[in-house]
Amino acid sequence: MTSLDDIIEDLDAPCDEQDIIEHERLYNEELQNNPVVTSRTQFGYGYVLVKSPYDNDIRKGIKLLEDLCQSGVDQRDFVYYLAVGHYRLHDYSKAIKHCQRVLEMEPGNHQATQLMEIIKKKRKKDALIGAAVLGGGAVALTSGLVLAGAVVAAGIAAFKSK
């Protein structure tokens, strides 16, 4: 069985740039020659895009996968990789929603269950980091105000002593 750390590493690992270029070429070629792209080609392109290191690519991949789901072809893989895309954009609420959809389609799906566990841990960790940054900012602001107050008080004292 794969460990959660291995899954996280795979989720965070970007797709090879050449894979993206090749899938884009296939997608555009098929689009040029046919009125509609096959779901297989669209899924392949959407998949590599949600694994891209670039947020705009990930968003484009999400759109392709959403279009597949709306076309009545709501396959588990399409929905799962929607969850992956939203996870990679740090949109954890939507990622969890898609994991839940996978579990509705296929109760007990181990992949979706593990992804949901990872997302919940990541969301909690990000919230703790955010709270620490916010707390650190409040301390810095307070320290800055105290220092500014001390400088003003010293200036007033120096002015009065003249």
Side-chain angles (χ1 to χ4, degrees):
M1 184 181 289
T2 308
S3 76
L4 288 182
D5 289 336
D6 292 338
I7 295 169
I8 292 168
E9 186 177 324
D10 181 58
L11 289 170
D12 292 337
C15 195
D16 181 58
E17 197 79 30
Q18 285 306 117
D19 284 344
I20 295 171
I21 291 168
E22 178 62 15
H23 279 85
E24 181 178 32
R25 184 190 65 74
L26 292 170
Y27 179 85
N28 288 328
E29 188 177 286
E30 197 170 308
L31 192 60
Q32 252 183 331
N33 298 325
N34 303 296
V36 178
V37 175
T38 64
S39 60
R40 181 179 177 156
T41 300
Q42 186 164 334
F43 172 71
Y45 188 36
Y47 165 80
V48 296
L49 287 173
V50 299
K51 296 283 289 169
S52 168
Y54 307 108
D55 288 356
N56 285 336
D57 283 352
I58 297 170
R59 286 185 196 91
K60 186 176 180 180
I62 287 171
K63 175 73 173 113
L64 289 169
L65 294 169
E66 285 174 341
D67 289 349
L68 282 170
C69 290
Q70 291 175 1
S71 69
V73 188
D74 202 15
Q75 290 186 7
R76 180 196 69 84
D77 287 341
F78 302 165
V79 180
Y80 177 79
Y81 284 103
L82 278 170
V84 170
H86 286 293
Y87 163 82
R88 295 194 75 229
L89 290 175
H90 307 280
D91 190 347
Y92 302 128
S93 296
K94 285 184 181 178
I96 287 173
K97 182 185 94 175
H98 290 300
C99 286
Q100 290 168 337
R101 257 176 77 196
V102 170
L103 291 170
E104 287 170 11
M105 287 185 252
E106 198 176 289
N109 180 290
H110 192 63
Q111 196 177 21
T113 303
Q114 286 181 316
L115 180 56
M116 194 152 31
E117 184 180 335
I118 289 165
I119 293 165
K120 287 177 180 179
K121 285 180 180 180
K122 182 78 169 163
R123 182 169 57 181
K124 185 176 182 179
K125 180 181 173 187
D126 286 0
L128 290 173
I129 290 170
V133 168
L134 186 61
V139 168
L141 178 62
T142 303
S143 299
L145 291 175
V146 168
L147 180 61
V151 169
V152 169
I156 291 171
F159 181 73
K160 284 184 176 179
S161 67
K162 288 186 177 181

